[in-house]
Amino acid sequence: MKGPHFIGLHELFDKIAGEVEEYVDMIAERIVQLGGIAEGTVRVSAGRSRLDEYPLAIADGAAHVAAVAQTLSRLDVKCG
């Protein structure tokens, strides 16, 4: 990512990643509590993902925001 908003966007994306990590950790812990096995390796996660590949060729901050927003809007997650 490049541009004048690099730091602000980097902090935003770090916050989003942190929130996702907390949610994933909560789900993994619940799976184990219920007697299952949390299959959280990168290979398993990627293989089961229904998300499109992230467009790696983009560098513009606004394009990254749009790509992340589009991906997050496609997730069917109920929180709360």
Side-chain angles (χ1 to χ4, degrees):
M1 181 171 49
K2 300 177 187 177
H5 304 292
F6 172 82
I7 296 297
L9 291 176
H10 193 287
E11 290 173 353
L12 172 65
F13 296 147
D14 280 347
K15 183 176 180 179
I16 291 169
E19 293 290 326
V20 169
E21 185 176 346
E22 284 182 34
Y23 188 70
V24 168
D25 190 48
M26 179 185 69
I27 292 171
E29 289 175 8
R30 187 68 179 140
I31 288 169
V32 172
Q33 289 174 351
L34 294 171
I37 298 172
E39 299 176 344
T41 66
V42 172
R43 185 180 307 262
V44 170
S45 298
R48 293 182 181 165
S49 177
R50 292 175 285 156
L51 298 175
D52 294 333
E53 289 288 330
Y54 192 83
L56 299 177
I58 59 176
D60 176 69
H64 277 291
V65 170
V68 170
Q70 180 180 18
T71 298
L72 292 175
S73 71
R74 299 172 110 191
L75 298 176
D76 185 25
V77 176
K78 310 288 190 269
C79 297

